[in-house]
Amino acid sequence: MNTIVVGTQWGDEGKGKVIDILSEKADFIVRYQGGNNAGHTVVVDGKEYIFHLIPSGILHKGKVCCIGNGVVVDPQVLLQEIKGLEKAGIRIDGRLKISSLAHVILPYHKILDQLRETKRAHKIGTTGRGIGPSYADKTIRCGIRMADLLNRRVLREKLKDNLREKNEIFKKVYAHPGFDFSRIYEEYLDYGRALSRYISNCALLLNRAVALKKDILFEGAQGTFLDIDFGTYPFVTSSSATAGGACIGTGVSPVLMDKVIGVAKAYTTRVGEGPFPTEFLPPFAEMMRDRGNEFGATTGRPRRCGWFDSVMARYAVLINGIKELAIMKMDVLDGLKKIEICVAYKYKGKKFREFPDDWEVLTRAKPVYKSVPGWEKAPGRSQGFARLHPNAKSYLRRLEDLLGAKISMVSVGSSRAETIII
Ligand code: GDP
Ligand code: IMO
Ligand code: MG
């Protein structure tokens, strides 16, 4: 079975926890896009693990975890992540594979990401990790790939060529001194040596696994509305976070995919800039942020919070081909008297039931809400759907109706145990 797990909102839906749970029954877990802009949190026995590049499936013994060709890799961050896991007693050897085709994040990508943000009139609010510039180099065909770190001659030539152009731009456009070839060259050769045992042809490995009827989980980072095409452009990330990205980012054909699971929070959050029709107003916004502990796992920035937006989520179901949903953080809504669900947008007297492409509509429209009654925490609810508060159950049923997909998992807390499988 080949299953894609994808975020249906603006990221941080709880994909890490879902992947961790589904990993138990998988053989391979593969990240297909994004980089260390992602922060996926898993809580096991009270211990919190935050993953930026390695799939959270690594916590399960014997599972093979891949970083696909669609990912951009900051080798320094990856090595730190490996070290952190080894320190926590998790064996990596033989279980971590990095695609030789994955692009590398270089120091100039990170600096350029940050410089661009400071110069922009309308900031995107990027994570500053060099994601956009690295994908830009991939697309304009001057990127450096993991395999290049293993070949001194190729790396020298590519890096020299890049720096010749980039240093001019850094000096002339950004008044930045530019970068020294030897330092980057030696540093990245070292990374290549340290990572060489993990680097291989992942497309081959995964297709062989498919032939052997192994179970593969494809882990999306970010979410549908941060997708480079379908997101709230330009306030998006630079990769294909939607389900289609799983094929491009791993080399496993679309005809081999069996299922797409969409992950959604029971409300909505967003980090960084950009439109957010259902965003809460203060002081409710702060209260909900504190209840949900909504602070970025990568940058620590406070996340913006709002009501569940079924217009967005339904579009995500469509774009990704989602049949199953995991609804996360239901517990954060405990104790509210009334809960709103956005069912349409309204702008200049017109109602929009579909997610609008028109920027003016998206940024100025007012949400149309349906109110539903809230609930108190029900005892023993982690033990099954039946034990949820009746109002919580009807909230979930309402989401199913609005989205046209079945809920197969409900999360009522950050730990593995606080999960209802339906
Ligand atoms: P991801 O990027 O989609 O993997 O999500 P993040 O890890 O960035 O953010 C989700 C946060 O919510 C993490 O801190 C999780 O530990 C936490 N979390 C996940 N599920 C639940 C839940 O059901 N309830 C609560 N309270 N926290 C949850
Ligand atoms: P996970 O996988 C939430 C946001 C940034 C910014 C925009 C572009 O944990 O869900 P980038 O650095 O990618 O160029 O920033 O995208 N962003 C995320 N928001 N969760 C993420 O990942 C994100 N990755 C990027 O905040 O608005
Ligand atoms: Mg996250």
Side-chain angles (χ1 to χ4, degrees), residues 154-215:
V154 174
L155 181 63
R156 178 188 294 121
E157 203 173 301
K158 284 194 171 185
L159 187 60
K160 277 230 149 104
D161 206 30
N162 265 300
L163 285 180
R164 232 188 324 268
E165 185 196 19
K166 289 185 194 298
N167 277 344
E168 286 295 298
I169 297 173
F170 272 103
K171 280 175 203 149
K172 291 186 178 147
V173 179
Y174 297 101
H176 181 281
F179 297 84
D180 177 54
F181 166 80
S182 310
R183 265 179 79 169
I184 301 183
Y185 182 59
E186 293 305 331
E187 183 183 339
Y188 278 70
L189 279 177
D190 279 347
Y191 293 147
R193 276 189 284 270
L195 292 170
S196 64
R197 62 188 148 146
Y198 306 113
I199 300 171
S200 63
N201 184 332
C202 285
L204 208 57
L205 176 81
L206 292 170
N207 279 286
R208 282 182 181 149
V210 173
L212 292 170
K213 303 250 178 302
K214 299 284 183 196
D215 289 321

Side-chain angles (χ1 to χ4, degrees), residues 10-13 15 31 37-40 51 113 124-133 220-223 226 234-238 270-273 297-299 301 303:
W10 280 295
D12 302 327
E13 295 91 347
K15 300 174 294 290
R31 253 293 288 279
N37 47 350
H40 299 169
F51 297 93
D113 192 3
I124 293 173
T126 73
T127 58
R129 303 295 196 262
I131 307 299
Q222 288 84 52
L226 287 173
F235 299 95
V236 295
T237 191
S238 299
R270 161 161 221 170
V271 210
E273 304 302 319
T298 296
T299 58
R301 288 177 294 175
R303 295 177 182 146

Side-chain angles (χ1 to χ4, degrees), residues 31-283:
R31 253 293 288 279
Y32 61 80
Q33 44 68 238
N36 60 309
N37 47 350
H40 299 169
T41 318
V42 178
V43 182
V44 185
D45 300 329
K47 188 167 165 29
E48 186 179 78
Y49 300 84
I50 299 178
F51 297 93
H52 299 290
L53 283 162
I54 300 175
S56 57
I58 201 81
L59 295 178
H60 294 261
K61 268 194 196 138
K63 313 288 174 176
V64 178
C65 289
C66 301
I67 294 174
N69 56 277
V71 176
V72 285
V73 179
D74 184 329
Q76 190 184 11
V77 173
L78 179 56
L79 283 163
Q80 268 165 15
E81 202 161 303
I82 292 171
K83 218 186 259 169
L85 285 168
E86 280 170 343
K87 224 167 126 190
I90 293 150
R91 265 205 58 234
I92 308 283
D93 259 358
R95 299 207 293 129
L96 176 66
K97 310 279 172 189
I98 308 164
S99 167
S100 40
L101 305 184
H103 279 250
V104 178
I105 295 179
L106 287 120
Y108 46 80
H109 293 135
K110 292 183 252 189
I111 299 295
L112 183 59
D113 192 3
Q114 292 153 20
L115 286 172
R116 269 199 189 136
E117 280 284 275
T118 56
K119 291 234 166 189
R120 259 190 198 110
H122 300 288
K123 298 190 192 326
I124 293 173
T126 73
T127 58
R129 303 295 196 262
I131 307 299
S134 177
Y135 277 115
D137 277 4
K138 173 178 179 175
T139 306
I140 59 167
R141 294 157 294 178
C142 68
I144 290 174
R145 309 202 283 193
M146 291 308 291
D148 301 332
L149 302 186
L150 308 181
N151 186 319
R152 310 181 67 87
R153 286 177 298 281
V154 174
L155 181 63
R156 178 188 294 121
E157 203 173 301
K158 284 194 171 185
L159 187 60
K160 277 230 149 104
D161 206 30
N162 265 300
L163 285 180
R164 232 188 324 268
E165 185 196 19
K166 289 185 194 298
N167 277 344
E168 286 295 298
I169 297 173
F170 272 103
K171 280 175 203 149
K172 291 186 178 147
V173 179
Y174 297 101
H176 181 281
F179 297 84
D180 177 54
F181 166 80
S182 310
R183 265 179 79 169
I184 301 183
Y185 182 59
E186 293 305 331
E187 183 183 339
Y188 278 70
L189 279 177
D190 279 347
Y191 293 147
R193 276 189 284 270
L195 292 170
S196 64
R197 62 188 148 146
Y198 306 113
I199 300 171
S200 63
N201 184 332
C202 285
L204 208 57
L205 176 81
L206 292 170
N207 279 286
R208 282 182 181 149
V210 173
L212 292 170
K213 303 250 178 302
K214 299 284 183 196
D215 289 321
I216 307 179
L217 265 182
F218 295 84
E219 180 186 43
Q222 288 84 52
T224 302
F225 293 90
L226 287 173
D227 180 273
I228 185 77
D229 285 279
F230 295 102
T232 45
Y233 191 91
F235 299 95
V236 295
T237 191
S238 299
S239 64
S240 299
T242 42
C247 300
I248 298 162
T250 62
V252 177
S253 160
V255 299
L256 297 173
M257 297 298 177
D258 298 297
K259 189 160 78 174
V260 183
I261 299 178
V263 186
K265 260 179 204 168
Y267 50 101
T268 312
T269 63
R270 161 161 221 170
V271 210
E273 304 302 319
F276 187 168
T278 65
E279 186 167 9
F280 296 140
L281 295 171

Side-chain angles (χ1 to χ4, degrees), residues 7 11-17 38-43 48 50 219-220 222 263 265 267 291-298 303 327-332 410-415 418:
D12 302 327
E13 295 91 347
K15 300 174 294 290
K17 173 172 171 173
H40 299 169
T41 318
V42 178
V43 182
E48 186 179 78
I50 299 178
E219 180 186 43
Q222 288 84 52
V263 186
K265 260 179 204 168
Y267 50 101
R291 277 165 156 254
N293 192 22
E294 295 295 357
F295 295 89
T298 296
R303 295 177 182 146
I327 303 294
M328 315 302 285
K329 301 192 101 161
M330 273 293 278
D331 53 300
V332 178
V410 180
S411 178
V412 292
S414 55
S415 73
E418 292 164 304

